[in-house]
Amino acid sequence: MAELPIAELPPARCSGRFTISTLLGTEEGGHGPYTPTESSGCDSAQPTQLSGSTLCTRTFGYNTVDVVPAYEHYANSKGVGDTRKGRPSLADLHSILKPDPGHLCAPVSDPQRSNGLTEASPEETSAEPGTDPALEPVRFGWVKGVMIRCMLNIWGVILYLRLPWITAQAGIALTWLIILMSVTVTTITGLSISAISTNGKVKSGGTYFLISRSLGPELGGSIGLIFAFANAVAVAMHTVGFAETVRDLLQEHNSLIVDPTNDIRIIGVVTVTVLLGISLAGMEWEAKAQILFFLVILVSFINYLVGTVIPATAEKQAKGFFSYRADIFAQNFVPNWRGPEGSFFSLFSIFFPSATGILAGANISGDLKDPAVAIPKGTLMAIFWTTMSYLVLSATIGACVVRDASGSLNDSVALGSPGCEGLACTFGWNFTACAQRQSCRYGLSNYYQSMSMVSGFGPLITAGIFGATLSSALACLVSAPKVFQCLCRDQLYPLIGFFGKGYGRNSEPIRGYMLTYIIAVGFILIAELNAIAPIISNFFLCSYALINFSCFHASITNSPGWRPSFRYYSKWAALFGAAVSVVIMFLLTWWAALIAFGIVIFLLGYVLYKKPDVNWGSSMQASSYNMALNYSVGLSEVDEHIKNYRPQCLVLTGPPNFRPALVDFVGTFTKNLSLMLCGNVLIAPRKQKMPDSWLTADGHTKWLMKRKIKAFYTDVVAENLRSGVQMLIQAAGLGKMRPNILVLGYKRNWRTASPQSLEDYVGILHDAFDFKYGVCLMRMKEGLNVSQVLQAHINPTFEAAENGTRGRAAPSTVDPTTLACEQQASTIFQSEQGKKTIDIYWLFDDGGLTLLIPYLMGRKKRWGKCKIRVFVGGQINRMDEERKVIVSLLSKFRLGFHEVHILPDINQKPQPEHIKRFDDLIAPFRLNDGFKDEAIVNEMRQGCPWKISDEEIDKNRVKSLRQVRLNEILLDYSRDAALIAITPPVGRKGCPSSLYMAWLETLSQDLRPPVILIRGNQENVLTFYCQ
């Protein structure tokens, strides 16, 4: 069907490389037993002529084009079949060597590559050779880049202002349970992050990069957009928390700037502007600021611990602090629920956001020296140390401070005083009155600033609150643009590509910083963050759920590409973490969870609709393969049944874009129903160099997808058309998903084509029947092959079953993108047919295939308005009886065909001029043997089996006239039909190919609508039984 050219191989470009074995085998002075000489070549004493990417490498002591393993051969790996840099192709190693004295290959010593295992490829080296090392991008290790950043983001105002109150409500035991439950979720998520981040090279993009490259662009894109937005709003939330603390300090000293609300706005805008300046100064300055905040928090925490061991003053005792007391610890060990928020899950929902923030390090993955090491180590260490800090704080403050205290120095009493109730009485204080009235201002249950009161120096706790809020705001201010930049560069959504540009040596997303700043300032000015805060928390939990699900899904698919170097994870723990994250979303705020899910589903639907042209090797692709494999194997275990018969078509299209009408016709009735496989036979000598068939197939598959045809494409290389089709008929398909119908175009030029091509064409029909295939031939008045009209992007000339031309063309390479983007030719099968007719001439019982295909066509929207008419042969004196029989049979088939016509004049003699036209048609192919005996006829026909003897013409005269008469009937009844389906005659083996083609030509000539010649394999494809 397509003839491949014989192209000359390009000259070689050889650059030698020393290996370890070569260096070890080389004697001092370079004159070892394997020292190359000027005449040494590749794989032989003579140089060879190979492809342009070939390297002549010295390996294991002799010259060869083969190369040892090297890092750069695997860097930037894309799809299967891509050529890797520096590695010879299979053709370079497999093709016949040709001496080429003009290309001598001498190995060049390269100490840096001597072992073949270099650290980085040239593309991945940031600095150009000779540039100043100071211009290299700033990269962070696991401590500064991940652990400190995550700890700062996890710590927040809840540590200082709410954890003591939660301890008073839930007691130390349940507070530890709340902490450990929260940490369980974050630890499982941390393990999942560790596994995903060590399964290949991680680039910039953080959480979005990890999810999108694991689960694909659909879920990754949706979570990336909302995660970036959530971080931008979180900047405003943390900044407002800082501004409120400053406002409260100003209010205590009667130093308000304007009023309480506007002061928050003024302080917030100024603060976020300063943080933006730090971010724009570069990651190095941002990291220094984070270290400063970290030190402030550490000092404040140490200050608190020191305060717990300092003997309590009378003023502190009045506020409920009595240093470490076993009875205080015992009383605070059990819960004491108070108020509307006095329940376990209410306190859990309040505390859980303080355990989040574990993604801060992963979000700057592009700025880490080694993300695969830094992310697991830093994230898990941050979770460990922050968990310890929470546990220690709740235990220590619960052992030092009573739940209720008045704060009045006048409430001190002597030990054992009557009327005094409560634990404080044993320490000389009577807080009974305020405790009974629930009006105590101090104590763990009432005073949020208990940590500041307990500490050695109260202002340091305030400084710690400042450090916690500002560090979290700065981390979110950096995370949002980094994640958004990666999303913009992937171009999954419109109108955001502008923000993907990076500046400077770290490719800083300055435009993203400005967008984040604008969003943050907007929400700061609103100053109503209580409503938006639950949604933001749910966005982060969505990320946790998807990260855990990514780890589970990648593990459960058993993809060979899932090989994380971090082994301490469990797929079932990851699934549990994903489920718990979703449950917590609804526990926190059910309406916010619904909003978050709605936004994710909307963004997911958009990406599914747009179908971005990206291929990241996601676990969804692996899952699709697993499902297809399991279903295919399972299908092989199911016995076939007529009710489940589907027309599975092998369509001989050649390059599919050459015969769009044939593709559209079959695609119409197989779409979402059955298998369609476009076959192409590449005609070439056996020893010729094969083209990149995977590239060719990719181009044709993309063309089919653009045309919205659900079909496969396959090609074979054969020495002639018939042998190639025999390969396709026998090998195409998988298990029960194998073609059962051969569809091909009608050979219009059979009279002028080479006799051998005529023999091959008819032989293909015989082969199809031999292999129990049904046959479907399609003929259109204007022809099927549009390759002469198109500017063909397929280089080999298509040796058609329709036009029969042969030719030699340029090398067979196809650009898939160019092929997919070429102008699509429109056909009749793509347009609405209106109220026309589909005429079925069911002349012979072939099992019902002639009825089934038009029925499937009529179910489609474009053909739904067409009326289907069935024509059958009959006798003029029994027309009514025969019509009732056929109508009854069709009604049992439930096809909905109600208009049946009996053709009583089918056996009449055709018009003389039409008989003469048939005789003229076969005249050039007659043997004119004069009715000689069979032996003489065979001798005369030797070398030209297509010739028709006089005896064969006479023996098949009635059959020939039948075809002439049928054509007259078709012209009378179906001249204006939308489609004609007719049962053709079957040519027996031994029938000359020219005579059979003359029958088909006569039967279908001069008809305007498309003619479909359908012949089943004589096995039922329709049934009226239920079992």
Side-chain angles (χ1 to χ4, degrees), residues 746-748 750-751 758 761-762 765-766 769 777 779 843-844 910 914-915 917-923 925-926 946-968 970 982-1007 1011-1013 1015:
Y746 177 74
K747 189 174 180 64
R748 298 175 66 206
W750 63 274
R751 284 172 290 179
L758 177 60
Y761 183 81
V762 177
L765 304 182
H766 289 305
F769 289 130
L777 299 177
R779 181 175 186 178
L843 304 179
F844 308 102
H914 295 158
I915 298 175
R917 185 169 63 173
F918 175 79
D919 292 335
D920 294 341
L921 183 66
I922 62 174
F925 301 95
R926 295 189 62 167
W946 55 88
K947 290 286 188 178
I948 313 170
S949 68
D950 292 343
E951 183 180 355
E952 288 169 332
I953 292 176
D954 183 65
K955 184 172 61 176
N956 293 290
R957 188 64 178 176
V958 176
K959 194 171 186 178
S960 300
L961 294 179
R962 169 70 67 86
Q963 313 312 316
V964 178
R965 177 57 188 156
L966 283 175
N967 180 253
E968 294 176 348
L970 293 174
I982 186 170
T983 312
V986 176
R988 291 186 178 275
K989 293 180 180 179
C991 176
S993 56
S994 55
L995 178 59
Y996 185 68
M997 289 304 299
W999 291 343
L1000 299 183
E1001 175 74 23
T1002 301
L1003 177 63
S1004 58
Q1005 65 186 354
D1006 298 334
L1007 294 171
V1011 180
I1012 312 299
L1013 305 170
R1015 188 78 199 206

Side-chain angles (χ1 to χ4, degrees), residues 42 70 101 178 184 193 207 210 238 404 512 514 521 525 531 554 563 572 616 683 688 723 835 866 870 888 946 957 977:
C42 300
I178 290 172
T184 298
I193 292 173
T207 305
L210 295 176
H238 294 301
D404 294 297
M514 299 308 299
V521 169
L525 294 178
R563 302 184 303 274
W572 301 114
W616 295 327
I683 300 174
Q688 182 179 335
S723 62
K835 295 183 179 181
C866 292
V870 179
S888 175
W946 55 88
R957 188 64 178 176

Side-chain angles (χ1 to χ4, degrees), residues 228-243:
F229 176 76
N231 273 281
V233 179
V235 175
M237 291 176 57
H238 294 301
T239 305
V240 168
F242 168 78

Side-chain angles (χ1 to χ4, degrees), residues 130 137 158 198 205 261 512 626 654 670 734 741 800 863 876 920 953 1022:
I158 292 178
T198 57
T261 302
N626 282 355
T670 59
L734 180 68
I741 300 174
W863 297 79
I876 193 169
D920 294 341
I953 292 176
L1022 297 174

Side-chain angles (χ1 to χ4, degrees), residues 214-512:
S214 181
L215 285 179
E218 296 84 8
L219 282 172
S222 58
I223 204 65
L225 196 59
I226 66 172
F227 187 77
F229 176 76
N231 273 281
V233 179
V235 175
M237 291 176 57
H238 294 301
T239 305
V240 168
F242 168 78
E244 286 179 348
T245 307
V246 176
R247 189 271 317 268
D248 292 343
L249 290 175
L250 293 176
Q251 210 165 11
E252 286 181 13
H253 297 86
N254 296 319
S255 301
L256 289 177
I257 303 172
V258 182
D259 57 65
T261 302
N262 284 319
D263 280 9
I264 292 176
R265 292 169 177 161
I266 295 171
I267 297 169
V269 171
V270 172
T271 303
V272 79
T273 304
V274 173
L275 294 178
L276 176 67
I278 296 173
S279 301
L280 294 178
M283 287 298 295
E284 193 169 3
W285 283 97
E286 187 267 347
K288 290 178 180 178
Q290 293 284 31
I291 292 176
L292 176 62
F293 293 141
F294 182 72
L295 293 176
V296 170
I297 293 176
L298 281 185
V299 170
S300 71
F301 198 71
I302 293 171
N303 169 57
Y304 158 75
L305 292 176
V306 170
T308 60
V309 298
I310 296 176
T313 63
E315 183 178 318
K316 287 188 176 182
Q317 288 184 355
K319 294 181 179 180
F321 172 62
F322 297 99
S323 294
Y324 291 106
R325 305 278 183 167
D327 43 3
I328 295 179
F329 181 85
Q331 186 187 56
N332 289 336
F333 190 80
V334 295
N336 181 19
W337 310 112
R338 298 184 185 182
E341 294 175 334
S343 65
F344 181 82
F345 284 109
S346 295
L347 296 179
F348 177 81
S349 64
I350 292 172
F351 174 80
F352 183 80
S354 67
T356 61
I358 61 173
L359 301 178
N363 285 337
I364 63 163
S365 54
D367 296 302
L368 301 175
K369 291 178 182 177
D370 188 354
V373 173
I375 292 176
K377 198 171 182 180
T379 303
L380 295 176
M381 289 299 291
I383 293 173
F384 174 77
W385 289 117
T386 53
T387 302
M388 294 303 298
S389 66
Y390 285 140
L391 295 175
V392 168
L393 191 146
S394 63
T396 53
I397 204 164
C400 297
V401 185
V402 296
R403 285 190 168 103
D404 294 297
S406 63
S408 174
L409 295 174
N410 296 327
D411 287 338
S412 61
V413 295
L415 295 176
S417 298
C420 183
E421 297 178 2
L423 187 60
C425 297
T426 60
F427 307 131
W429 293 85
N430 185 5
F431 303 136
T432 307
C434 72
Q436 291 177 346
R437 294 194 305 267
Q438 294 186 353
S439 60
C440 295
R441 293 182 55 198
Y442 295 93
L444 284 183
S445 296
N446 309 294
Y447 189 47
Y448 289 154
Q449 301 285 352
S450 295
M451 273 190 71
S452 179
M453 180 265 294
V454 170
S455 65
F457 184 61
L460 283 179
I461 299 297
T462 304
I465 295 175
F466 289 171
T469 54
L470 291 178
S471 63
S472 297
L474 186 57
C476 293
L477 184 59
V478 170
S479 297
K482 295 283 186 181
V483 173
F484 192 58
Q485 182 185 37
C486 184
L487 179 64
C488 294
R489 287 177 173 175
D490 288 337
Q491 298 181 344
L492 300 182
Y493 298 101
L495 307 177
I496 62 174
F498 172 80
F499 298 99
K501 183 176 176 57
Y503 296 87
R505 53 186 175 174
N506 272 52
S507 188
E508 295 290 346
I510 294 179
R511 296 174 179 175

